[in-house]
Amino acid sequence: MPEVTVTRRLRFNAAHRIHNPDLSDAENTTLFGKCNNPNWHGHNYTLDVSVTGPVDARTGYVVDLGRLRDLVQEVLLEHLDHRNLNLDVDFLRGINPTSENIVVACWEVLAPRVAPGRLTRLRLWETPNNYVDYEGR
């Protein structure tokens, strides 16, 4: 049975501050610039969720993309959208919310739940010009 990868694109808005408490304020400012603003800053994120698996002979789907959308909404976006990533999101607690760290944390929440397919890539767009990919460990 051939394997196919399907991708669903979702969006959320959130605020954060990139800050390492182990560094001085001056070091944080030098490393992170305006992303270290103590009053936060926000992004209109785009999350591409890719699931790979065999095409089901009965449905013709790898996974129902509507079901995938609803799952991502429930387990990720309801916790991320219009939130402060530093303060409001339990699965990011204690994590410096860079795009790299956000996408890994999202993977850990979502990957066990996408059966019968398997999560093969998350792509998190922070801006129209910048994104990170994560394909698991």
Side-chain angles (χ1 to χ4, degrees):
M1 181 62 67
E3 287 204 330
V4 175
T5 299
V6 296
T7 301
R8 179 70 189 213
R9 178 166 282 177
L10 302 106
R11 292 174 175 81
F12 66 96
N13 306 314
H16 68 158
R17 179 185 187 200
I18 306 299
H19 182 82
N20 183 337
D22 295 332
L23 303 176
S24 70
D25 287 343
E27 289 173 304
N28 273 292
T29 298
T30 299
L31 277 173
F32 305 121
K34 63 184 177 181
C35 294
N36 183 247
N37 182 342
N39 293 316
W40 320 105
H41 70 283
H43 295 282
N44 300 317
Y45 290 97
T46 299
L47 180 66
D48 295 336
V49 179
S50 297
V51 175
T52 301
V55 176
D56 182 274
R58 187 173 64 84
T59 65
Y61 293 158
V62 171
V63 63
D64 179 327
L65 289 173
R67 188 184 74 75
L68 181 61
R69 176 202 58 225
D70 293 347
L71 174 67
V72 174
Q73 179 67 38
E74 177 187 340
V75 302
L76 293 178
L77 302 190
E78 286 186 17
H79 303 277
L80 297 168
D81 192 35
H82 287 84
R83 304 298 173 111
N84 182 311
L85 302 179
N86 298 78
L87 303 176
D88 300 332
V89 182
D90 288 341
F91 63 84
L92 292 174
R93 187 124 6 251
I95 297 171
N96 195 4
T98 62
S99 292
E100 294 88 340
N101 286 333
I102 296 166
V103 79
V104 171
C106 287
W107 181 282
E108 291 172 359
V109 171
L110 187 59
R113 295 175 166 93
V114 298
R118 68 185 181 286
L119 190 61
T120 51
R121 187 183 73 215
L122 289 179
R123 174 171 286 171
L124 181 64
W125 294 83
E126 185 178 70
T127 72
N129 298 319
N130 301 326
Y131 67 84
V132 297
D133 282 333
Y134 187 62
E135 297 177 355
R137 301 179 201 209

